[in-house]
Amino acid sequence: MPGKMKQKMKISMINIRKTGIVMLLAISAAACNKFTDRPPLSSITPDQFLLREADLAAYTVARYNFPTHGGWGPGTFSIDNHTDNQASSGASTRWVPGEWRVPQDGGSWNFGNIRHLNYYLETVVPRWKAGTLTGAASAIDHYVGEGYFLRAYEYFDKVQAYGDYPIIRQTLPDVKELLVEASKRRPRNEVARFILSDLDSAISLLGVSAPQGAKNRLNKYAALLFKSRVALHEATWLKYHKGTAQVPGGANWPGNGKVENFSINIDAEISHFLTEAMEASAEVADAIQLVNNTKEDGYNSSANPYFTMFGDINAGKYSEVLLWRAYDATKTINHNVNHYVNQNGGNTGFTRGLVDNFLMANGLPIYAVGSGYEGDEYVNDVKSGRDNRLQLFMKVPGDLRFTDKMAGGNPIVEGNPDIIGLAETRYVTGYALKKGMSYLSAQAEGNVGTTGSIVFRAAEAYLNYIEASYLKEGTINSKADQYWKAIRSRAGINPDYMITVAATDMNKEALNDFGAYSAAQILSDPILYNIRRERRSELIAEGLRYFDLKRWRSMDQLKTSPYIIEGFRLWGPMQDWYKDATGQSRLIEAGTPGKTANVSLKTESNYLRPYRVNLTSSNFWVNGYKWAFAHYLEPIAINHFLQASTTAGDINSSVIYQNPGWPLEANMGALE
């Protein structure tokens, strides 16, 4: 399951004149998320459309392509599956060198939405400048800004997938020579600068609020946050991958000798992107206040805004939420998040590595002398005295499930985690997800969920600034100090982060956290490490973990030291939870003759190892997560090389080059 695992709902696309580059000869009829349903628009000629404010609003919202809840499953809260944070019942081929394979066709190398947005901008911007568009001037400005933002968003997806990518600013005629020329890749830092330029245009045009005043449409602060994300990503990618084939000009970079008019001062580029990240994130963090955490368990909407923000029907009422998606079951715009998060394990679970990584409320790691950690014989003990984010966002037996429903006059509470049942509803690790849970019983029914789906929230800006400023300046400046203490105070942790730094043992942290590494080396700077820890703790189950690990180059060590995912401490008192009415255990250990195993061996580890239940060679993950350096980027499908060849059928004449480590042959994987 390589790639970006986004959960998307279908939208209707606008039929426009089919001109574009060779890789998109057909326009996709369905693709991505939109926040409001609209009936399909009939074929419209350019001189009849994109003349009015409403036209612009309809066109841009149809290009919204954000990961939000949809379909069956825990929605965006399961995107972090297949990382060191979360696990599902099946793993990903990205952790198996040679098994993630080059496709013949498809993949992320496509220009569908980019082409639509180029068409929009090249049509609308001249009319906007000429003053021929009708509607409120501020609204028109805003929707022009949305076009720039959305093109930047699409291009950032490409940078994450491929690094170097063609920069195409307009639609093109269907002329082979022009299309092949346009297919040439530009270095990733140039693409990132192009993205920031589009975002600067968007920021200058977007209102602080959308024309309708709701947070269901883009706004200036969402654009600023996204700019800080893009800039931090590029800065850290260049920093940690510097000198490798994954960076322009590095050793064995495939663009060497192929990219024209190229030069780079990589240290200057890193500094530039860090500055951009600092400035954009500070503008958000200084303007947007974090919601309050009362430390209550969130049983009703007034109890704890920090908890309810993730599972409220109206996420827009929270100051911290910058952009969110609303749902309406009466219009069949719904999801099933709480059918899984509230009722069962949802085929996901937090890893032992993540859970152990959370600090105690006093700011000490669990292994530190005097931490007060009570151990992990029971999952309820694990939460005691810990970072309040772990207490709030991990389910344990006895937790209340509903505030509006009783069973025979008794509250309905969480039972023991079902680690051996149906894969779709399994508590994969025994450590259960609770982020996004609603206590309303109607939300837990099938296919009627309407809790909001958050796209951007301001806490990320706080974290982006802390990391970017520390990398740029080598110290925690006053603004970073303010932001870090605000994040920790809300989390119920001693705000003095230097207490944590002084107690950090990097060799112990490396046992739990891929983020303790860069380029196969354990970090030597405990301040930098704890900045990464803070990000991991704050953003659990929000879909940014793999994003962070790639930019930090945090998987190289897996080439020689595979990592075995573990869950809760099954082989202790909790094993008694899995006895039948006669007192017989329902647990069947791996390798038991004549029986189908459902748990890992107790002699191997006291902790549940979900990928060590099947010990046969058919289980690619039986010996742990491994890594191939090529996997930091995706492979380009073979047909794209053929389409961009100067000699028909000759893949070697293609103007496109394959990403480092990936072969130029379909169905072959990368081993190094």
Side-chain angles (χ1 to χ4, degrees):
M1 306 177 194
K4 283 179 278 299
M5 291 177 289
K6 291 184 177 178
Q7 304 190 19
K8 302 180 178 181
M9 297 183 68
K10 292 183 178 180
I11 63 168
S12 299
M13 303 293 254
I14 299 170
N15 294 318
I16 60 176
R17 183 170 51 92
K18 293 184 179 180
T19 59
I21 64 174
V22 68
M23 285 69 75
L24 49 115
L25 297 179
I27 299 176
S28 173
C32 21
N33 283 327
K34 70 194 257 322
F35 291 8
T36 59
D37 270 6
R38 297 179 185 272
L41 297 173
S42 59
S43 296
I44 293 175
T45 57
D47 60 345
Q48 296 174 314
F49 193 55
L50 296 177
L51 296 171
R52 295 164 290 275
E53 173 190 330
D55 298 342
L56 274 58
Y59 195 102
T60 51
V61 81
R63 305 280 84 75
Y64 277 31
N65 190 27
F66 309 116
T68 57
H69 302 327
W72 295 91
T76 61
F77 301 115
S78 62
I79 295 176
D80 279 342
N81 282 343
H82 317 298
T83 67
D84 59 338
N85 279 11
Q86 281 176 244
S88 70
S89 58
S92 169
T93 56
R94 68 184 175 212
W95 301 115
V96 190
E99 287 301 321
W100 181 3
R101 300 171 186 271
V102 177
Q104 180 64 39
D105 203 358
S108 301
W109 188 278
N110 63 76
F111 299 82
N113 261 357
I114 290 172
R115 178 181 176 277
H116 281 299
L117 292 161
N118 281 340
Y119 172 82
Y120 174 80
L121 291 170
E122 70 184 7
T123 302
V124 168
V125 170
R127 294 174 181 176
W128 169 61
K129 290 181 176 179
T132 59
L133 298 172
T134 60
S138 60
I140 290 171
D141 288 352
H142 185 93
Y143 295 130
V144 173
E146 283 198 3
Y148 283 112
F149 177 98
L150 292 168
R151 184 169 68 178
Y153 190 88
E154 293 297 325
Y155 261 98
F156 189 50
D157 269 359
K158 307 308 181 186
V159 167
Q160 292 175 75
Y162 296 118
D164 305 343
Y165 203 71
I167 299 175
I168 302 171
R169 295 178 172 85
Q170 64 281 319
T171 56
L172 300 170
D174 192 7
V175 177
K176 171 76 172 178
E177 292 77 12
L178 292 177
L179 300 176
V180 169
E181 181 65 22
S183 299
K184 292 180 178 179
R185 302 172 72 179
R186 294 304 305 171
R188 60 175 299 130
N189 63 303
E190 291 184 16
V191 185
R193 282 178 173 264
F194 168 62
I195 293 169
L196 295 189
S197 176
D198 264 4
L199 288 173
D200 285 339
S201 296
I203 291 163
S204 70
L205 294 168
L206 291 168
V208 170
S209 297
Q212 295 85 2
K215 296 180 183 177
N216 299 129
R217 295 206 62 139
L218 288 161
N219 54 69
K220 178 180 179 179
Y221 288 122
L224 281 163
L225 172 59
F226 186 64
K227 180 183 177 182
S228 75
R229 182 188 294 182
V230 172
L232 180 61
H233 176 271
E234 191 59 24
T236 50
W237 185 284
L238 295 177
K239 175 179 175 63
Y240 297 115
H241 293 261
K242 181 179 178 180
T244 73
Q246 308 281 19
V247 168
N252 300 315
W253 175 52
N256 282 327
K258 296 183 178 180
V259 176
E260 300 170 353
N261 303 315
F262 165 73
S263 64
I264 186 171
N265 180 329
I266 194 164
D267 291 330
E269 289 293 274
I270 293 168
S271 179
H272 168 74
F273 287 116
L274 288 174
T275 298
E276 293 286 302
M278 289 172 64
E279 292 176 352
S281 57
E283 194 165 345
V284 177
D286 286 345
I288 307 298
Q289 186 174 357
L290 300 177
V291 301
N292 184 39
N293 178 10
T294 66
K295 315 302 188 296
E296 302 289 336
D297 204 10
Y299 289 169
N300 58 66
S301 60
S302 63
N304 190 348
Y306 183 47
F307 180 88
T308 59
M309 172 172 63
F310 297 99
D312 203 319
I313 293 171
N314 177 16
K317 67 186 182 185
Y318 299 92
S319 60
E320 190 170 332
V321 175
L322 304 180
L323 181 69
W324 69 289
R325 182 183 182 186
Y327 295 81
D328 186 344
T330 66
K331 299 177 181 177
T332 65
I333 306 171
N334 47 31
H335 57 73
N336 294 279
V337 168
N338 273 281
H339 182 71
Y340 291 89
V341 174
N342 187 302
Q343 294 205 92
N344 53 68
N347 193 19
T348 189
F350 295 136
T351 65
R352 178 192 174 200
L354 172 64
V355 172
D356 284 0
N357 198 229
F358 278 94
L359 298 171
M360 302 297 294
N362 57 22
L364 295 177
I366 62 172
Y367 54 75
V369 175
S371 73
Y373 181 53
E374 294 185 5
D376 57 9
E377 286 195 334
Y378 289 98
V379 288
N380 300 62
D381 296 339
V382 170
K383 291 174 43 166
S384 180
R386 303 291 292 280
D387 181 325
N388 193 244
R389 292 170 293 200
L390 180 64
Q391 297 184 50
L392 289 175
F393 299 129
M394 187 174 79
K395 282 194 301 186
V396 295
D399 277 358
L400 184 71
R401 288 182 51 209
F402 302 117
T403 55
D404 60 352
K405 186 177 182 180
M406 306 282 279
N410 297 312
I412 298 175
V413 299
E414 178 74 6
N416 296 330
D418 183 3
I419 60 172
I420 59 177
L422 184 68
E424 181 185 0
T425 58
R426 188 176 301 161
Y427 293 71
V428 176
T429 65
Y431 287 135
L433 171 73
K434 194 176 179 181
K435 202 168 199 176
M437 180 171 158
S438 169
Y439 289 93
L440 301 177
S441 58
Q443 291 294 326
E445 300 300 323
N447 205 33
V448 295
T450 56
T451 55
S453 184
I454 298 172
V455 178
F456 296 120
R457 68 181 181 100
E460 184 191 343
Y462 287 61
L463 296 164
N464 290 351
Y465 183 89
I466 296 167
E467 183 178 350
S469 64
Y470 186 74
L471 292 175
K472 172 84 172 178
E473 300 173 357
T475 188
I476 301 296
N477 65 29
S478 60
K479 193 177 287 289
D481 175 78
Q482 172 193 340
Y483 296 161
W484 201 349
K485 287 178 177 176
I487 290 282
R488 285 173 65 106
S489 294
R490 183 176 66 178
I493 306 172
N494 184 336
D496 185 355
Y497 47 83
M498 292 308 294
I499 288 177
T500 306
V501 170
T504 296
D505 182 331
M506 288 306 305
N507 289 318
K508 287 186 171 66
E509 300 296 350
L511 300 175
N512 297 325
D513 188 351
F514 290 1
Y517 291 88
S518 281
Q521 300 299 312
I522 298 175
L523 296 182
S524 60
D525 184 345
I527 295 178
L528 178 60
Y529 171 71
N530 279 288
I531 290 171
R532 292 185 182 184
R533 187 212 301 268
E534 199 69 61
R535 187 175 181 92
R536 188 186 195 191
S537 300
E538 178 64 27
L539 299 177
I540 54 168
E542 294 187 47
L544 288 172
R545 183 56 173 176
Y546 191 51
F547 167 89
D548 285 340
L549 294 176
K550 288 192 297 179
R551 67 185 179 89
W552 292 332
R553 194 179 163 190
S554 289
M555 279 86 78
D556 286 22
Q557 72 281 0
L558 302 177
K559 287 177 63 67
T560 55
S561 301
Y563 184 85
I564 295 177
I565 293 292
E566 290 188 329
F568 73 167
R569 187 170 183 162
L570 172 62
W571 300 114
M574 288 187 289
Q575 67 183 295
D576 292 338
W577 290 352
Y578 304 99
K579 292 180 178 179
D580 62 23
T582 68
Q584 294 297 308
S585 177
R586 295 182 294 124
L587 303 176
I588 304 172
E589 294 184 60
T592 300
K595 294 186 178 181
T596 301
N598 55 27
V599 292
S600 52
L601 285 162
K602 69 174 69 173
T603 56
E604 183 176 284
S605 174
N606 287 329
Y607 297 90
L608 176 63
R609 292 181 165 184
Y611 304 133
R612 292 283 298 172
V613 176
N614 173 8
L615 298 179
T616 69
S617 59
S618 64
N619 177 8
F620 295 137
W621 306 274
V622 67
N623 293 318
Y625 282 0
K626 302 176 184 178
W627 191 248
F629 188 67
H631 288 188
Y632 283 111
L633 295 173
E634 295 180 19
I636 301 172
I638 298 304
N639 276 348
H640 301 310
F641 293 95
L642 295 172
Q643 291 169 333
S645 295
T646 55
T647 302
D650 180 11
I651 197 170
N652 294 314
S653 69
S654 180
V655 300
I656 301 173
Y657 47 85
Q658 183 61 287
N659 272 333
W662 290 104
L664 265 177
E665 184 177 352
N667 203 36
M668 296 296 291
L671 297 175
E672 298 298 331

